[in-house]
Amino acid sequence: MDLEIRDLHVQVEEKVILKGVNLTVNKGEVHALMGPNGSGKSTLANVLMGNPFYQVMQGDVLYKGEDLLAMAPDERARKGLFIAFQYPVAIPGVTMASFLRTAVSARRGYSKELIPVGEFQKILRAKIEELKMDPAITGRYINEGFSGGEKKRAEILQMALLEPEIAIMDETDSGLDIDSVKIVADGVNRMFDAAKGQMGILVITHYSRVLHYIKPDYVHVIFDGRLVVSGGAELAEELERSGYEGIKSQVDVIHSEVAASGAVRRAGKVFWVVH
Amino acid sequence: MISREAVEAISARTGEPVWMREQRLAAWGVYESLPLPDPTQEEWRRTDISGLRLDALRALVDGTGPVAAALPPRAAALAGGEERAGLLVQRDGRTVQHVLDEAAQRQGVLFLDLDQAVRQAPDLVREHFLSVIRPDELKFRALHAALRTGGTFLYVPPGVEVTLPLVTSTWLNTPGAGLFPHTLLVAGEGSKVTFLDVFGSDGMSRQTVVSNAAELILRDGAQVRYVAFQDWGANVWEFGLIRARLGRDAALHSLIVAFGGSLVKTDIESKLEGPGSQSEMLGLYFGDGTQHFDFHTLQEHLAPHTLSDLLYKGAVKDRARTVFAGLIRVHPGGQKTNAFQSNRNLILNTGAKSDSIPKLEIMANDLRCTHGSATSRLNDEHLFYLMSRGLTRRQAVQMVVDGFFAEVFDRVPLPRLGEQMQQEIGRKIAEL
């Protein structure tokens, strides 16, 4: 197993956000994680990347058999974990070109020198073209003054350059118009195909729209810090029809039953395990 | 030791004219009569010089060793890789290397060791030397005027443009010495020149004092870019003054870069005397260890339609401390003036400290003036973002700090100097 999350509990400041998440993502698989706002989707993404703002209270994450939570964010990245952030930060004064060259060098194992400029430029130009981006972006400061769409595409550009083994896309589709969603999805699909089974993707999204373009093998629904439903691609379609309300009512039923009896319960598609 | 006899010996050695000898001796008298700056005075309140031992300083009467001896590699590196029209290298106040492009020579540019200039162009030197700075302003200025050795005289005749930069590299070699380099730059009407004043030394085994001074005289319409770049070693204490006078429509672009020394107190002043004159004042400093940097800047508007635009950015780490105190003074004659001042500091760890004190003295009523200061810490979100792409923490910090300084780099069209600054910044961060 390439990424195995076991019983993960996470809090931010004093607030518990993840209340026992279990999920396994392997290379060659596309998973979708869906859920309403505030359910813990972004927390999961950030904690997997090692954002120091989030505290792991309980649980384990194994990445290629190693303890992921013991690694610093840069080590995770160099070992092939990637996250496309929902809200990437702007860093004044640092050009995209110098940042990307340093990042690509780190991922490719250059420890003293950086990847030769010529070689890097070639790779960069190709990826920028694939994602139909303006080449002038490389001279701009990281995310500074970028439109919402430019930021998201810049995240996917980084994903393309860093060739991750497990990539998490945190609401990359939100705020994108339909043409941009297609371009981004095409780019991701191309990466996935080119990786020939050596890449796994976790697509975190609020809406099922992006899943028409990036076809998931598995769909998971997160509610209030727990994965409550897992299924195939058809689950996304069901959610598209019924919204999260249908699931929420099932969750509410179980919640009261669990509170009463403290056992494992199922209501329709929803299951609940008390740890 | 420094003494009246040492002043006389230096004067005799350089074979300078009587007026300069008398000027030196008068300055020595002033030095002896003036007390050290009063620590309760606002300007000296934040910089403790109680550990200063001026009496113990060694006077550089004879220079040190054979002048042809090779400079340490770092001294050569400090001279920079910038393409240039001329280079003057001095060690302990004595010239060890001097070249000036033939083209510049033909244009009548004088680029000389100041001791040499006193003999070769006595009238020009006499007219301008100590015309902008007075020895009785401060004990350190008097000491400088009395014991000055070497230094640079740069004269650009009216209408002459020197395209490539001229560089002076001042290397301090003797522990315990007092070094008093002087830069006298006279840019004639409508002339244009770039001058890099580079200073450095290795670490010193004991307290070594530099009291340097630069007089920048810009005639009407002159355009000057002046860069002072210092990388003193440990135990060097610097008391410096850079003061410019600008004539009508003259434009000065200055950049002060400070990396080295144990205690550095530098004043940087622009006097906008001619209508329409403009002064861009940039500063970049990085203190680490127990370094103490103190910059006092003055944007003095004496004429109408003048512009000053100051941006000083500093990083501070370990237990270092920096002080920035900037004054904008607009005289009654300074109507229709634009004066901007901004100081930004980046604190890299707890224990390091930056003070920022902006001040205004406005005696005119029709002007535009802004000033601001901000001190921030390393942003954890920035570091996390960069590290999430595989950069080590050190690489991430370096990138954020370079980014912080980019606003200054981007305004100085000297790429090699930019690289040199980045390298020095990298070296300081490596020890984080």
Side-chain angles (χ1 to χ4, degrees), chain A residues 164-202:
Chain A
E165 291 168 52
I166 298 290
I168 303 158
M169 295 165 56
D170 188 6
E171 302 212 23
T172 303
D173 54 325
S174 66
L176 288 186
D177 61 42
I178 190 68
D179 292 333
S180 302
V181 170
K182 280 184 193 161
I183 292 166
V184 164
D186 284 351
V188 171
N189 288 330
R190 223 175 358 246
M191 281 178 233
F192 185 75
D193 294 341
K196 294 190 180 9
Q198 290 310 301
M199 180 182 186
I201 302 179
L202 177 62

Side-chain angles (χ1 to χ4, degrees), chain A residues 49-51 73-74 77-78 82-83 85 89-90 92-94 99 102-103 106 141 143 155 158, chain B residues 380-393 395 399-400 402-404 406-407 410:
Chain A
M49 202 66 237
N51 187 333
D74 54 318
R78 288 194 298 273
F82 181 87
I83 169 173
F85 289 101
V89 292
V94 183
F99 161 55
T102 314
Y141 294 151
N143 293 321
E155 292 295 293
Q158 292 172 50
Chain B
D380 285 335
E381 285 183 46
H382 291 176
L383 296 182
F384 171 62
Y385 186 76
L386 297 173
M387 289 172 74
S388 77
R389 301 311 187 220
L391 278 71
T392 61
R393 187 179 161 80
Q395 284 177 311
M399 207 155 255
V400 169
D402 282 348
F404 169 76
E407 206 184 343
D410 289 354

Side-chain angles (χ1 to χ4, degrees), chain B residues 35-358:
Chain B
L36 275 172
D38 177 354
T40 63
Q41 223 185 310
E42 175 59 22
E43 173 152 6
W44 290 87
R45 223 159 52 78
R46 292 172 186 82
T47 294
D48 177 13
I49 55 165
S50 58
L52 182 66
R53 294 285 167 269
L54 289 178
D55 294 343
L57 288 184
R58 181 171 159 190
L60 292 169
V61 176
D62 304 316
T64 51
V67 290
L71 281 169
R74 227 167 62 78
L78 274 179
E82 215 75 54
E83 236 193 308
R84 60 201 169 212
L87 174 68
L88 185 58
V89 180
Q90 300 191 346
R91 184 177 55 183
D92 281 350
R94 307 189 74 171
T95 296
V96 293
Q97 199 184 338
H98 179 211
V99 283
L100 177 64
D101 266 6
E102 265 182 43
Q105 289 182 32
R106 275 198 306 272
Q107 289 174 304
V109 173
L110 298 179
F111 177 58
L112 299 165
D113 176 328
L114 191 50
D115 288 335
Q116 194 189 344
V118 173
R119 296 189 297 269
Q120 213 170 307
D123 295 341
L124 270 178
V125 175
R126 189 171 188 178
E127 183 188 345
H128 298 103
F129 182 68
L130 295 184
S131 68
V132 181
I133 293 169
R134 291 198 331 268
D136 60 1
E137 290 175 26
L138 186 70
K139 194 172 180 75
F140 299 111
R141 310 289 173 249
L143 183 63
H144 168 90
L147 286 162
R148 179 199 60 79
T149 49
T152 305
F153 179 63
L154 172 56
Y155 172 76
V156 186
V160 167
E161 292 191 13
V162 188
T163 29
L164 292 174
L166 295 154
V167 181
T168 291
S169 177
T170 300
W171 186 254
L172 170 60
N173 210 48
T174 306
L179 185 72
F180 308 99
H182 191 100
T183 297
L184 178 58
L185 186 159
V186 182
E189 276 183 34
S191 66
K192 192 172 177 184
V193 71
T194 295
F195 178 58
L196 273 57
D197 225 349
V198 183
F199 304 88
S201 79
D202 287 327
M204 293 290 165
S205 54
R206 57 198 167 101
Q207 189 178 72
T208 307
V209 172
V210 178
S211 180
N212 50 320
E215 301 181 276
L216 313 178
I217 299 164
L218 283 73
R219 299 295 187 210
D220 294 352
Q223 293 178 54
V224 172
R225 182 175 295 279
Y226 175 78
V227 178
F229 180 113
Q230 73 82 352
D231 197 7
W232 302 119
N235 280 325
V236 174
W237 293 40
E238 182 204 296
F239 302 93
L241 170 61
I242 295 161
R243 185 180 290 158
R245 286 173 73 164
L246 286 82
R248 178 183 288 270
D249 297 326
L252 172 66
H253 298 268
S254 71
L255 167 66
I256 309 309
V257 182
F259 289 125
S262 288
L263 181 146
V264 171
K265 166 86 170 73
T266 307
D267 298 347
I268 305 100
E269 306 179 356
S270 272
K271 290 163 127 34
L272 297 148
E273 298 177 350
S277 55
Q278 306 188 357
S279 179
E280 177 191 50
M281 300 167 75
L282 301 174
L284 185 156
Y285 48 96
F286 192 148
D288 65 347
T290 56
Q291 287 184 310
H292 180 103
F293 293 162
D294 181 337
F295 303 99
H296 276 65
T297 64
L298 174 63
Q299 297 156 263
E300 185 154 43
H301 293 258
L302 296 133
H305 298 286
T306 46
L307 164 71
S308 66
D309 185 5
L310 179 145
L311 173 66
Y312 269 57
K313 297 194 94 165
V316 61
K317 102 183 229 291
D318 305 328
R319 288 186 295 131
R321 182 176 183 195
T322 63
V323 179
F324 169 87
L327 171 62
I328 296 175
R329 181 185 286 145
V330 184
H331 290 258
Q335 299 292 14
K336 310 277 185 198
T337 279
N338 285 306
F340 309 114
Q341 183 195 92
S342 170
N343 173 232
R344 301 275 180 268
N345 294 292
L346 181 63
I347 295 181
L348 297 186
N349 57 261
T350 327
K353 194 176 169 210
S354 273
D355 288 323
S356 187
I357 306 129

Side-chain angles (χ1 to χ4, degrees), chain A residues 10 23 58 62 64 77 90 161 176 180 191 220 229 239 243:
Chain A
V10 174
L23 177 66
Q58 190 181 318
L62 293 180
K64 298 197 275 186
L161 287 167
L176 288 186
S180 302
M191 281 178 233
H220 314 274
V229 190
L239 276 172

